[in-house]
């Protein structure tokens, strides 16, 4: 329902006159059930008894607590009014409270006079508030009188102004004070003694002290420094509110009822004493400068606030870790004009509080407000602790570790990297990444059997990799049955005997305990082998009593404590007509089998020269001017193709193959056509990324192109990622990085933008524009080709708006 107007007036209404033009009201609200809607407030009413049509109205907002009060001002003085209060709602006004009569107070002046020093002669007149002069009559001639005037209301009498004067002797202008002597000089005051001048036959009502401040000379301006009233007999005054360590000279004049005297002669020049500064430097701010430093800025003290010898003025900065109060450190700057300072050797990724004060030869001023800053994230400065490795099978090692000590983390740990390599076999370590800082174990698998591995663990932050653990943990995978022996050949073949020679397995998978040679006629039953076992150091065996001009199948296998391994099988014919094989032919590298780092080579074997092929050797040459390198000299004699791995992306190669039988090696085949591996993403980002403020809303990004051999293809250009950072801007704001631990690459975070710079590697600078002023930004870069982007460069921070 719509509300209605109130049906009762405010209660307990009281009024009183505060002065000659103001009435104050007090009241309580009407009972709630009579307001009939939402109380919109009150109206105070006053109207003169003799002019009821001129109502003065003041509206007061509702206050829902206790007794209400309000005033009507600018009323007529000493006038009778009716007063009333009402309550109103949106539809309209409620009834008025019963009118109350009241008169505003009276203003007047009270004039008194008496013979100087004789109270009993005092006479007083009350004058209306409009009277501003009065002629006193009936005085005795040649008598000194004291005259006083005060303003009066019903509340009482105000400030009294008095003067002493002699009847029948017209007062005159006073004379100048003289003989100014200065004593008791302190930093902020000095005492002035003087001889008063002629009083002009009436009392002196005021003393005025003027001064020249700082710069003294006949042309320099004089300013009023101090006035003293109502001390007609003074001969000494203290001049307050002076500035420390400042030159002054003073002069005086005296004032009576007629006017001001001429000026005294100037005093001697004095200098107030030094005092510590009164103020701290202003506009103090702090910003991250690096992983281990903060930059503080301030506005130096103006000359007027040195309070001492300028040569002695400097600043002192106090700073402490927020988490380690109150062990504060100090840094002193002895240059009063300095406006910034970099504080070094701080802990990485740590919050600090700082204050600054000014000092001079006397002492130090107040400390500024506390400001807060945080050093930048960095890479961990220590490895994970308690790194250990345990072989759990012949191809797996379980790694465990504990966290990097907190003080060495230097940022948010985003994960760990395990670097591992087969000792004495691999040149470059492989790496495995464990994301997040809660998982502190990792199973390395796909390892070689019974091989010593060197393993290190490091932690990384958004900025990059920390220190790897050292020394490396050495652990051997468990042993297993061995792989087959390799390069099986028959250097001597007779009609009834053959000599077989072999090399140990490429994958021994343990300690070789011995070899087994098994042979049978190719035409006989598959299981009817003659078997011989020999020791682990034996590399050859001669089989005798064979059938002439017959094919025999030979098998050799190796043994570890885990058992016998796969055999290597070869066929031999007991004949004496043998020669070297012909080279393989029709070498091809189908494009469908070419990737960025591997390809497949196919061939057709040549004639075996009546002696079976024992193995093939594959060689690879990198164009344009690499040497032939042997990729493998133990490709199985049954193979007609081979996968070539560990190639470089976007690189051209030629390949060739030779066959080996018992008599010797064939010539190398004709080499293949040139074949080019596919492109891959670049291995490394642009280097030496530098970001500098350029204009107030732009920065200049400069970099070094990645090394040509890391491009893995045709460089198409660069991508520059940038985002606004919000740590260290205000008092204790937490970094967004902390809330978003997945933000390893800044471009994964929602608030980042990127610019793509299409170019060859020739371009090395770019201007990022339309950034926000006075904000920190983080910038990182990648290089990209048709396949994709390189890893990101280390993030660089810049403050925009300093150019």
């Amino acid at each position: 329902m719509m509300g209605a107007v109130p049906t009762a007036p405010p209660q307990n209404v009281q009024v009183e006159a505060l002065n000659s033009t103001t009435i104050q009201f007090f009241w309580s609200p009407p009972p709630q059930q009579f307001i009939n809607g939402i109380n919109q407030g009150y109206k105070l009413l006053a109207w003169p008894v003799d002019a009821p049509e001129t109502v003065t109205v003041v509206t007061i907002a509702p206050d829902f607590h206790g007794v209400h009060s309000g005033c009507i001002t600018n009323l007529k003085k000493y006038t009778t009014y009716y007063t009333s209060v009402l309550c109103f709602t949106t539809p309209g006004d409620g009834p008025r409270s019963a009118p109350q009569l009241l008169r505003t107070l009276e203003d007047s002046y009270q004039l008194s006079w008496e013979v100087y020093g004789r109270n009993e002669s005092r006479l007083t007149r009350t004058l209306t508030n409009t009277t501003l002069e009065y002629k006193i009559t009936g005085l005795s001639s040649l008598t000194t009188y004291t005259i006083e005037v005060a303003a009066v209301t019903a509340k009482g009498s105000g400030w009294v102004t008095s003067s002493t004067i002699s009847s029948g002797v017209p007062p005159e202008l006073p004379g100048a004070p003289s003989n100014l002597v200065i004593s008791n000089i302190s930093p902020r005051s000095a005492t002035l003694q003087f001889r008063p001048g002629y009083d002009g036959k009436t009392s002196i009502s005021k003393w005025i002290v003027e001064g020249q401040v700082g710069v003294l000379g006949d042309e320099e301006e004089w300013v009023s420094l101090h006035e003293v009233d109502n001390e007609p007999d003074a001969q000494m005054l203290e001049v307050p509110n002076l500035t420390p360590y400042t030159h002054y000279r003073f002069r005086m004049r005296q004032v009576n009822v007629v006017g001001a005297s001429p000026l005294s002669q100037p005093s001697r020049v004095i200098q107030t004493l030094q005092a510590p500064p009164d103020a701290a430097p202003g506009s103090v701010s702090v910003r991250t400068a690096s992983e281990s430093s903060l930059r503080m800025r301030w506005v130096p003290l103006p000359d007027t606030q040195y309070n001492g010898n300028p040569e002695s003025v400097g600043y002192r900065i106090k700073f402490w870790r927020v988490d380690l109060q109150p062990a504060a450190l100090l840094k002193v700057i002895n240059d009063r004009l300095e406006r910034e300072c970099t504080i070094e050797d701080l802990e990485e990724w740590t919050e600090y509080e700082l204050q600054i004060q000014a000092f001079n030869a006397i002492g130090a001023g107040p400390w500024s407000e506390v400001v807060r800053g945080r050093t930048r994230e960095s890479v961990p400065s220590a490895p994970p602790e308690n790194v250990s490795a345990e072989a759990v099978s012949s191809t797996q090692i379980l790694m465990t570790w504990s966290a990097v000590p907190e003080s060495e983390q230097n940022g948010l740990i985003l994960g760990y990297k395990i670097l591992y390599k087969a000792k004495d076999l691999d040149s470059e370590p492989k790496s495995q990444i464990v994301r997040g800082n809660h998982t502190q174990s990792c199973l390395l698998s796909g390892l070689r059997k019974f091989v010593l591995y060197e393993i290190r663990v490091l932690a990384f932050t958004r900025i990059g990799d920390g220190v790897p653990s050292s020394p490396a943990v050495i652990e051997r995978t468990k042993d297993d049955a061995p792989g087959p022996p390799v390069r099986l050949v028959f250097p001597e073949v007779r009609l009834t005997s053959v000599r077989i020679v072999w090399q140990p397995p490429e994958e021994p998978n343990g300690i070789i305990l011995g070899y087994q040679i098994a042979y049978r006629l190719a035409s006989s039953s598959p299981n009817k082998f003659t078997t011989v076992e020999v020791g682990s150091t034996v590399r050859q065996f001669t089989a005798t009593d064979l059938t002439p001009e017959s094919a025999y199948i030979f098998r050799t296998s190796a043994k570890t404590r885990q058992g016998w391994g796969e055999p290597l099988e070869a066929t031999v014919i007991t004949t004496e007509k043998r020669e070297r094989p012909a080279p393989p032919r029709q070498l091809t590298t189908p494009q469908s089998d070419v990737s960025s780092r591997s390809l497949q080579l196919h061939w057709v074997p040549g004639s075996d020269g009546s002696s079976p092929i024992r193995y093939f050797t594959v060689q690879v040459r990198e164009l344009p001017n690499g040497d032939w390198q042997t990729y493998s000299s133990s490709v199985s004699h049954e193979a007609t193709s081979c996968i070539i791995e560990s190639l470089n992306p976007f690189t051209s190669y030629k390949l060739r193959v030779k066959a080996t039988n018992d008599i010797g090696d064939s010539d190398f085949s004709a080499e293949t056509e040139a074949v080019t591996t596919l492109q891959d993403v670049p291995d490394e980002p642009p280097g030496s990324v530098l970001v500098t403020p350029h204009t107030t809303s732009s920065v200049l990004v400069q970099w070094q192109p990645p090394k040509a051999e890391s491009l893995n293809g045709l460089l198409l250009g660069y991508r520059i990622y940038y985002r606004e950072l919000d740590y260290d801007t205000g008092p204790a704001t937490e970094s967004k990085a902390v809330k978003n631990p997945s933000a390893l690459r800044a471009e994964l975070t929602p608030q980042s933008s990127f610019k793509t710079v299409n170019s060859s590697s020739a371009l090395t600078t770019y201007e990022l524009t339309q950034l926000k002023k006075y904000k920190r930004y983080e910038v990182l870069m990648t290089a990209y080709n048709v396949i994709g982007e390189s890893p990101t460069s280390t993030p660089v921070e810049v403050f925009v708006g300093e150019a």
Side-chain angles (χ1 to χ4, degrees):
M1 89 176 199
M2 271 290 288
V5 301
T7 50
Q11 300 181 302
N12 309 330
V13 178
Q14 294 175 323
V15 288
E16 70 167 300
L18 281 188
N19 59 36
S20 60
T21 59
T22 303
I23 296 175
Q24 184 164 27
F25 292 72
F26 297 93
W27 69 94
S28 302
Q32 185 61 40
Q33 67 268 33
F34 296 120
I35 294 180
N36 301 328
I38 294 173
N39 182 349
Q40 297 291 336
Y42 300 94
K43 293 181 183 175
L44 312 183
L45 313 172
W47 61 96
V49 173
D50 52 3
E53 69 287 342
T54 59
V55 181
T56 302
V57 181
V58 171
T59 303
I60 302 285
D63 176 356
F64 299 102
H65 310 286
V67 177
H68 298 51
S69 68
C71 291
I72 300 183
T73 56
N74 297 331
L75 298 175
K76 295 181 186 157
K77 299 183 181 185
Y78 201 54
T79 303
T80 307
Y81 282 90
Y82 279 115
T83 60
S84 178
V85 188
L86 64 80
C87 175
F88 67 96
T89 56
T90 306
D93 293 347
R96 300 179 178 187
S97 64
Q100 299 185 35
L101 265 182
L102 184 76
R103 173 180 276 185
T104 51
L105 299 183
E106 175 181 21
D107 272 352
S108 63
Y109 293 110
Q110 191 172 57
L111 175 66
S112 311
W113 65 92
E114 64 185 45
V115 175
Y116 182 69
R118 283 176 51 207
N119 279 22
E120 69 281 2
S121 65
R122 186 180 188 91
L123 293 168
T124 299
R125 295 281 180 278
T126 298
L127 311 173
T128 68
N129 59 20
T130 53
T131 309
L132 295 176
E133 61 177 64
Y134 181 82
K135 185 171 185 181
I136 301 175
T137 57
L139 301 179
S140 312
S141 62
L142 297 177
T143 306
T144 302
Y145 287 88
T146 300
I147 302 167
E148 296 180 350
V149 180
V152 180
T153 68
K155 292 281 186 187
S157 172
W159 183 259
V160 176
T161 306
S162 70
S163 186
T164 306
I165 199 160
S166 298
S167 60
V169 183
E172 300 167 4
L173 268 180
S178 60
N179 293 31
L180 272 56
V181 174
I182 304 169
S183 58
N184 292 1
I185 300 167
S186 77
R188 298 171 201 281
S189 66
T191 300
L192 199 53
Q193 289 167 287
F194 54 92
R195 181 180 296 159
Y198 166 61
D199 64 6
K201 303 195 178 77
T202 177
S203 57
I204 298 299
S205 58
K206 184 189 291 188
W207 306 94
I208 299 174
V209 180
E210 296 181 354
Q212 282 182 330
V213 185
V215 188
L216 314 174
D218 296 341
E219 283 71 57
E220 299 303 329
E221 81 169 315
W222 291 80
V223 294
S224 176
L225 292 177
H226 189 48
E227 295 188 3
V228 176
D229 293 319
N230 289 344
E231 282 201 29
D233 304 323
Q235 300 188 13
M236 170 192 291
L237 333 157
E238 181 171 305
V239 185
N241 303 328
L242 302 181
T243 303
Y245 200 65
T246 302
H247 287 100
Y248 285 93
R249 66 176 169 169
F250 305 110
R251 66 186 186 186
M252 288 182 66
R253 55 174 84 197
Q254 52 195 63
V255 180
N256 67 11
V257 68
V258 178
S261 75
L263 288 156
S264 71
Q265 286 297 309
S267 71
R268 72 182 173 98
V269 176
I270 62 137
Q271 185 176 28
T272 47
L273 302 185
Q274 301 189 69
D278 293 324
S283 304
V284 182
S285 66
V286 66
R287 290 217 326 273
T288 303
S290 76
E291 295 81 3
S292 61
S293 61
L294 293 170
R295 178 174 298 140
M296 190 177 200
R297 297 197 153 169
W298 61 90
V299 173
L301 287 193
D303 307 8
T304 54
Q305 292 183 352
Y306 289 162
N307 288 355
N309 182 342
E311 296 305 310
S312 70
V313 174
Y315 304 101
R316 203 175 280 130
I317 296 170
K318 180 166 72 170
F319 56 97
W320 61 92
R321 280 176 64 160
V322 173
D323 56 347
L324 288 184
Q325 276 130 313
L329 298 162
L330 283 181
K331 176 155 183 151
V332 177
I333 296 147
N334 286 312
D335 178 353
R336 65 183 181 276
L337 302 176
E338 188 57 76
R339 8 179 27 102
E340 68 174 31
C341 170
T342 301
I343 295 155
E344 309 276 3
D345 299 327
L346 302 178
E347 291 293 319
E348 295 95 333
W349 192 237
T350 301
E351 200 152 17
Y352 285 87
E353 289 186 326
L354 307 92
Q355 287 177 293
I356 186 169
Q357 66 181 181
F359 64 83
N360 60 21
I362 297 297
W367 288 105
S368 68
E369 292 285 297
V370 172
V371 289
R372 232 175 212 213
R374 188 194 264 285
T375 50
R376 194 181 302 168
E377 228 174 335
S378 180
V379 299
S381 49
E385 300 196 309
N386 307 325
V387 176
S388 71
E390 182 191 356
V392 292
S393 76
S394 60
T395 58
Q396 294 176 313
I397 292 177
L398 177 66
M399 300 301 302
T400 57
W401 60 89
S402 49
V404 176
E406 189 135 353
S407 61
E408 311 282 354
Q409 290 179 7
N410 305 339
L412 199 71
I413 301 292
L414 297 181
Y416 300 94
K417 268 185 203 168
I418 295 89
L419 308 174
Y420 61 100
K421 68 175 195 172
K423 192 172 181 338
D424 309 327
L425 296 175
D426 296 345
S427 55
E428 286 300 307
K430 297 192 173 75
S431 71
Q432 188 157 331
I433 291 185
V434 176
R435 299 259 174 220
N437 59 358
H438 298 306
T439 308
Q440 294 177 345
S441 65
C442 172
L443 186 65
L444 297 176
S445 50
L447 303 178
R448 298 162 76 160
K449 300 173 180 179
F450 199 64
V451 165
L452 280 176
Y453 277 88
E454 296 182 349
I455 312 169
R456 294 179 156 84
V457 184
L458 61 81
F460 59 88
T461 63
R462 217 166 41 90
I463 305 298
D465 291 350
V467 186
S469 56
S470 182
V473 177
I474 308 281
E475 177 74 350
R476 187 187 286 280
T477 45
K478 295 192 168 177
D479 56 0
D480 205 338
V486 296
R487 294 199 217 162
L488 189 59
V489 291
F490 299 80
E492 284 176 32
V493 177
R494 302 274 180 267
L495 289 170
T496 60
S497 69
V498 297
R499 183 159 64 91
I500 175 172
V501 175
W502 64 89
Q503 297 294 321
E506 283 187 344
E507 302 284 344
N509 301 343
I511 295 169
I512 300 295
L513 301 177
Y515 295 96
Q516 184 185 69
I517 300 94
Y519 57 97
R520 67 175 172 85
L521 267 169
S523 57
S524 71
S525 137
N527 300 328
K528 197 175 173 195
F529 275 100
T530 303
T531 304
V532 181
E533 287 192 27
V534 297
S536 62
T537 57
V538 178
R539 298 281 181 275
Q540 59 178 336
F541 170 75
T542 301
T544 53
D545 301 332
L546 305 179
T547 309
E549 301 291 344
S550 302
Y552 277 85
I553 292 171
F554 275 78
R555 283 181 176 174
T556 61
S557 52
K559 180 168 90 167
T560 65
R561 64 186 191 132
Q562 300 295 342
W564 290 102
E566 286 286 302
L568 177 63
E569 193 172 278
T571 304
V572 64
I573 297 164
T574 49
T575 178
E576 294 182 338
K577 306 186 288 288
R578 300 194 300 169
E579 57 189 14
R580 293 192 322 150
R585 53 201 169 82
Q586 295 180 24
L587 269 66
T588 57
T589 51
Q591 194 58 44
S592 58
D593 294 329
V594 177
S595 75
S596 60
R597 296 173 194 270
S598 69
L599 54 81
Q600 190 159 24
L601 173 66
H602 298 255
W603 63 85
V604 175
S607 146
D608 66 3
S610 305
S611 171
I613 304 292
R614 302 306 176 196
Y615 58 88
F616 293 104
T617 299
V618 178
Q619 288 194 331
V620 180
R621 181 166 84 86
E622 187 177 313
L623 302 182
N625 35 26
D627 296 325
W628 285 105
Q629 305 280 342
T630 297
Y631 176 74
S632 171
S633 56
S634 55
V635 178
S636 162
H637 60 277
E638 295 163 332
T640 57
S641 70
C642 173
I643 293 177
I644 315 295
E645 297 183 307
S646 304
L647 300 176
N648 294 322
F650 202 53
T651 304
S652 297
Y653 294 94
K654 288 190 169 185
L655 301 98
R656 64 185 187 181
V657 186
K658 68 178 177 181
T660 301
N661 67 8
D662 298 339
I663 305 303
D665 298 340
S666 74
D667 294 335
F668 272 105
S669 67
E671 51 194 60
T672 60
E673 298 287 313
V675 56
T676 304
T677 49
L678 303 185
Q679 302 189 51
D680 198 352
V681 298
D683 287 335
E684 56 178 57
S688 311
V689 177
L690 183 68
V691 186
T692 45
H694 189 55
T695 69
T696 54
S697 64
S698 74
V699 297
L700 206 56
V701 185
Q702 296 168 283
W703 64 91
Q704 295 285 322
K707 293 199 278 296
E709 59 267 29
S710 76
L711 291 174
N712 298 339
L714 290 171
L715 178 68
L716 295 182
Y718 302 100
R719 198 161 275 170
I720 301 174
Y721 292 89
Y722 58 99
R723 61 173 183 162
E724 199 181 309
L725 287 179
D726 64 353
Y727 64 77
D728 88 7
T729 48
T733 50
E734 259 316 313
S735 160
K736 272 233 174 71
V738 174
K739 297 182 184 131
N740 188 358
S742 67
L744 174 58
R745 284 167 67 135
E747 68 264 31
L748 298 181
T749 64
Q751 72 270 42
S752 80
S753 317
F754 66 85
K755 285 273 188 294
T756 301
V757 184
N758 294 314
S759 95
S760 68
S761 60
L763 188 84
T764 58
T765 60
Y766 184 81
E767 185 180 3
L768 276 183
T769 56
Q770 294 176 306
L771 304 179
K772 292 192 198 157
K773 225 169 163 176
Y774 306 128
K775 293 282 187 188
R776 303 190 69 73
Y777 279 84
E778 180 176 76
V779 180
L780 40 77
M781 290 187 68
T782 60
Y784 70 93
N785 58 22
V786 69
I787 305 297
E789 292 179 72
S790 72
T792 57
S793 64
T794 300
V796 179
E797 286 184 29
V798 65
F799 186 73
V800 177
E802 291 197 312

